[in-house]
Amino acid sequence: MISPVSSFVADGVGLPLEQPVLIFTLAMLIFLIGPLLVKRLGQPGIVGIVVFGALIGPGALGIVEHSDAIELLGEVGLIYLLFTVGLELDLRGFKEAPENAALFGLTSFFLPFTVGTVATYAALGLDVWAALLLSSVFASHTLLAYPVVNRFGVTKNRAVTAVFGGILFTDTLALVVLAVVIGAVQDGLSILLFGQIVLSLVVLFGGAWFFLPPVSRWFFQNFSEESYFEFLFVMVAIFAAASLAEVLELAPILGAFVAGLALNQLIPQGGTLMNRVEFVGNAFFIPFFLLHVGMLVDLGVVFDGPETLQIAAFIVGLMIATKGAAAWLVARVQDYDEHERGVIFGLSIGQAAAALAITLIGYEAGLFGSAVLNAVVLMLLVTALVSPWLTERAANRLALEREVEGEGGRAKDPNILLPLSHNAELQRRLLELSFVVKGDGGTNPVHVMTVVQPETSRPTEQQIANVQTALDDLAAEGSAAEVPIRTEARVNHNVASGVVQGAVEVQADQIIMGWDAAQSFSHRIFGSIIDQVLERTTLPVLISRLGHPINTTRRIFVVVPIGADHHEGFYEAVHFVKRIAANLGAELNVLVVEGSSHQFEQLFGLVEEDVTAEFDSIDDWGHLLPTLEEQTEDDDLIVAISPRQGDVGWHPELGDLPARLADMPPESFITIHPRQGEPEYDRQYLRLE
């Protein structure tokens, strides 16, 4: 029903709008200016879209009707939103310390959920099902303050990683409560209902975990010519999982969430596909969901009486008290200090669109009235202020407590040179590898370069123009990863000299090169050009042959020769390995040839990046290849730390290793040739505790 104010406006200017193009234009305008305005006030961008949606909706000015089209786009945005929640969860952090994440997640959910159910039932007069669902809303949490802990560099702290892993429990449990409540409201509570829900959850999770990853891996390996095909495949996966959940009589958002978990390690952070997923969601689908929610808000309900404000104050106070108690209890059990306790408390009270999504479903099912829906919107506004503020205070003190570490700027944001042959294959895979090595964020560019040798048959200018066009096309595709890319076509009669000189001029920290496994001269390892580069530069050089897209890697086998730990670039090389494993979410298996696995396990532990790994010893070089042939599969990646010929840790077997690895089933390997001549450079990669 349109309010008197909206009726007055409608009579004066012919509202509500009915022209589809005009309505769409207005929506795009709101998506643009809403977040920009509220961010100037220190609020998350989602708040601006919700507020503008409330203003133009039938509950205020009545400029736009809440039509079927907006409802459809809103539901699509809701499904997409829950997919991104699952996609961005830190499963690696969860795997490293599942017991800590489980303790925090279960405590942080069940304490507020139990107390909240009793309190909302008694104080707000809600029925049991509504009280259960509303309590599940604020028992979950959203990492609104993640940018704060990231800025202070405390994301690897044990308490912080417990919160990151704990969200897997809180969000999943909240969605399970949603499934139970909606099922009970529609069909009544019975043992059959619980059995049906359990069976449906088993089918949904089992189908997603055992079907979606292998199918996705196969698709990414075989249909990666055009990157938009990968995005379209992800879209099919999202809505297929949501549709399966709907067929199983579960909430579609639960299916989307499970799809996000299933694809979590196949879409690495910082890669092109992840940035496309985030871009489309943040620019289009999720804003339509927020607009849809905003148009459901009735400002008259907020301002006509104290009920909405009272409900909002009650649930905010209840949430803060119970989340605070949960943080105190977990800190007591885990022996966290007061600053760690403050960080997990600040992080756990954050609420955002996921809480709004569950509330909206409850509202549409008739469990909540307008007052509760509006109260949850107000709760989002309050937690958007309080969560970052509390987290920043505690994270600042936690950061000051840490011992000063070595300079890690270049370690976190490397300056990479990627030389490409103008006729090289699989260039996109090499570019994706550079993104994985670089990681998420950072301002240093990836320098993509091709060295052109002058030919008498074709003008040099024409060669440069052709090469530059190809580089620009590759850079345009790679720029979707939001990593700075600079391209250059340079002329040099000797390609290796051009590469080495280019590395000096751009002040590169490392060089990544591709190898096509073509027949090399007998006295060379890779062939003339790559071997010359290795001879002429002291920078670390990563030589790669990628038989499958890097994001489909499940396990990484690392070959470490005895004596490599005495090389001055060893710890930097270990950092590369651990960083690749961390960004891919891949299992790490280290094979120490003719050395002690226990010794290298300790050495790996000294290097930054928290990645769990298994260590085994290989008695002699003759057993290495049979071991790899027995243990590796098509989706694995072999990484060999290979000092240059004559360096400490070099072994003659390393000279033949690349050619032998090229014939093995994975057909994907990287040889890391460590930095030379800078023994102090390695210190920045070590933990100083």
Side-chain angles (χ1 to χ4, degrees), residues 549-560:
I550 192 70
N551 64 300
T552 64
T553 302
R554 285 189 293 187
R555 297 180 301 174
I556 299 176
F557 287 83
V558 186
V559 177
V560 183

Side-chain angles (χ1 to χ4, degrees), residues 417-420 449-453 488-506 511 513 529 532-533 536-537:
L417 176 67
L418 179 61
L420 296 176
M449 183 181 70
T450 294
V451 179
V452 176
Q453 290 177 295
E488 179 186 0
R490 62 168 54 205
V491 179
N492 198 307
H493 289 278
N494 186 294
V495 175
S497 295
V499 171
V500 173
Q501 184 62 31
V504 173
E505 292 177 4
V506 302
I511 301 173
M513 302 183 73
I529 294 175
Q532 286 182 47
V533 170
R536 298 180 185 186
T537 182

